[in-house]
Amino acid sequence: MNTLELKNSVIAKINEIHDRDFLLAIKTIIDAKTSKDYSSTDYNNDILKAEEDIANGYLVSHEEIKAKMEQWKKK
């Protein structure tokens, strides 16, 4: 499978996913790979956002993540 075929395959699979949390995780990975100007300011803003999420209780335990991963594997 060449790069173009692989990209198209990944895009097709992503289009089948409706799990918002999973899509956000994919977006984070893609953003990190494609960001050319990720500065210390961006990093600090991301840390502040993460701390805000924690303070607001937007947490997912390791066990919950493992369970979700098992569900994704079955699909």
Side-chain angles (χ1 to χ4, degrees):
M1 180 179 297
N2 66 36
T3 303
L4 181 58
E5 291 169 332
L6 181 57
K7 284 181 184 181
N8 288 333
S9 175
V10 169
I11 291 167
K13 292 290 184 183
I14 289 171
N15 283 329
E16 296 174 12
I17 297 169
H18 301 288
D19 183 321
R20 185 177 189 280
D21 292 334
F22 186 74
L23 291 170
L24 284 171
I26 292 171
K27 183 183 180 309
T28 299
I29 293 167
I30 291 171
D31 287 349
K33 185 64 177 173
T34 58
S35 175
K36 293 179 174 59
D37 298 320
Y38 192 74
S39 68
S40 60
T41 302
D42 294 328
Y43 176 80
N44 289 336
N45 288 338
D46 287 348
I47 295 296
L48 291 173
K49 173 68 173 120
E51 289 173 343
E52 181 182 315
D53 286 346
I54 292 167
N56 289 321
Y58 302 136
L59 305 170
V60 180
S61 74
H62 182 70
E63 293 303 317
E64 289 173 295
I65 293 296
K66 286 175 28 181
K68 274 195 176 262
M69 289 175 67
E70 287 303 317
Q71 289 175 355
W72 295 330
K73 286 181 190 178
K74 293 177 184 177
K75 290 184 179 181

